[in-house]
Amino acid sequence: MLALVFLAAPASAAKVAAPPVLTLPVADNGNPYMQVAVKKAMLNIRIGLSFDTALVLNLAAGERAGLKPFPLLGKRTVKNSFIPGGAATVRFNLTGVTPAGLPNKTVPVVWVDKPVAADADGILTVGALKADRVDIVLRPTPAGSKTFVLAKKGTGETGIKTRVGDENVDISLELNHPTTVANARAGEALIKAGLVQRAAAVDYWRPFPGVALPLQSLTPRAGAALLGLPLRTLGTRVSEAEARRIDARAKGTSTESDDEDTITVTAGRERQGRGRSPWILIGRDVLDDCSRISFDRAGKRWVLTCKFD
């Protein structure tokens, strides 16, 4: 299917040289934004750090751009707990996008009939920006800051791989969430490694507007760190039923069959299958103490400049 989409993709626009370094400041909410030309529209797009090359749009933005789904295969209903109401109509194609001042790039574009961003027309991964390095500047660098180098999985990919106990864990950076989030297998790995312990409290992960997926809070042990970064405010995915057992007031948006990231892993209950591969999103509880986050495409790495107390 992807091969057919590539064959149908439009020709690229006139060549523009990719800059060696692109510098992006963040807005008051801590996220970077860019104006991005998509077919008939100039869109205000949030630059995301935690997923690989794609542009995800609100439905109105996709319609304003004049996007058309790939024939026959480019429209379908998707069911997932990440979607408000649990399901959405998703349209997709490969389309050329042109971030302001950068070369055009053909990427998978998805537009959804449920909101994906309340603060922008959509979200474009930093991996789609054609520059050797993208510097996201949060604030001036204070004295005493240190540099943290995190190896990426590939040139255009954003993910980081590390080992926690017996698990290979995918790590992503996420400026759009105030805390760090782990799925059930990653949370269990952190606990078994002695880095955290479960707390009798419920929080929520809100990846998209109208979505609230319950988390059980985790309390880090003194000095606990991951990839050299401190563990601070974090939670692990649990089901609605498990959240209600932890806190009778808990009420999120997912259903009993939300997804495998919610497999219960408490000591008093046997696990039911392995679940999804372990992943952790490092949020602003950690990244707010960084002054600069660099996506170094050429070096296949992230470079963080931070000062942790």
Side-chain angles (χ1 to χ4, degrees):
M1 181 177 70
L2 285 177
L4 290 173
V5 174
F6 272 109
L7 287 173
S12 297
K15 295 289 185 180
V16 175
V21 180
L22 172 67
T23 301
L24 292 179
V26 297
D28 290 343
N29 64 4
N31 285 304
Y33 296 84
M34 292 188 75
Q35 294 295 304
V36 179
V38 183
K39 285 192 172 288
K40 300 178 181 179
M42 181 66 74
L43 304 177
N44 179 41
I45 298 297
R46 184 203 315 152
I47 303 302
L49 310 186
S50 61
F51 63 102
D52 290 329
T53 304
L55 171 63
V56 185
L57 296 175
N58 295 325
L59 180 61
E63 291 176 341
R64 195 161 74 249
L67 294 171
K68 302 295 182 184
F70 185 76
L72 301 178
L73 302 175
K75 179 181 178 181
R76 61 185 59 190
T77 297
V78 174
K79 295 183 178 180
N80 193 285
S81 63
F82 286 8
I83 300 170
T89 299
V90 175
R91 297 168 175 83
F92 60 91
N93 208 327
L94 279 181
T95 304
V97 303
T98 309
L102 295 180
N104 178 276
K105 183 176 179 65
T106 298
V107 301
V109 178
V110 178
W111 57 111
V112 189
D113 71 346
K114 298 290 179 70
V116 297
D119 57 326
D121 291 316
I123 311 163
L124 177 66
T125 175
V126 67
L129 303 179
K130 283 191 172 181
D132 291 341
R133 193 181 81 225
V134 180
D135 288 346
I136 299 166
V137 180
L138 285 73
R139 61 185 58 83
T141 300
S145 296
K146 296 182 179 180
T147 298
F148 300 82
V149 177
L150 314 178
K152 299 193 295 93
K153 292 186 292 184
T155 301
E157 295 178 347
T158 61
I160 304 156
K161 183 79 77 173
T162 194
R163 189 85 175 167
V164 178
D166 296 330
E167 296 275 22
N168 290 316
V169 181
D170 289 315
I171 307 293
S172 298
L173 309 179
E174 182 52 76
L175 285 168
N176 198 49
H177 197 265
T179 64
T180 292
V181 178
N183 75 345
R185 278 180 61 183
E188 183 184 26
L190 291 171
I191 293 166
K192 287 184 174 181
L195 296 173
V196 301
Q197 60 185 5
R198 294 183 185 273
V202 172
D203 198 355
Y204 294 95
W205 179 30
R206 304 180 188 275
F208 300 109
V211 175
L213 304 179
L215 307 170
Q216 181 175 11
S217 297
L218 299 175
T219 302
R221 304 284 187 179
L226 186 65
L227 298 170
L229 307 176
L231 292 176
R232 288 178 167 170
T233 306
L234 70 160
T236 186
R237 290 282 286 114
V238 292
S239 67
E240 295 283 346
E242 184 68 14
R244 287 193 292 272
R245 282 191 286 271
I246 298 167
D247 184 348
R249 298 169 299 172
K251 184 174 175 58
T253 64
S254 53
T255 66
E256 290 296 329
S257 59
D258 50 7
D259 63 32
E260 289 183 306
D261 285 337
T262 69
I263 290 174
T264 303
V265 292
T266 52
R269 181 174 171 183
E270 183 179 352
R271 293 196 321 176
Q272 299 176 0
R274 291 283 288 164
R276 290 185 176 171
S277 297
W279 54 259
I280 297 172
L281 296 178
I282 297 176
R284 288 202 319 271
D285 57 305
V286 174
L287 300 179
D288 273 350
D289 278 343
C290 298
S291 55
R292 184 179 296 258
I293 299 171
S294 295
F295 177 81
D296 183 358
R297 182 189 305 276
K300 299 182 181 179
R301 61 184 187 170
W302 289 95
V303 181
L304 279 58
T305 305
C306 313
K307 184 178 182 182
F308 300 117
D309 295 330

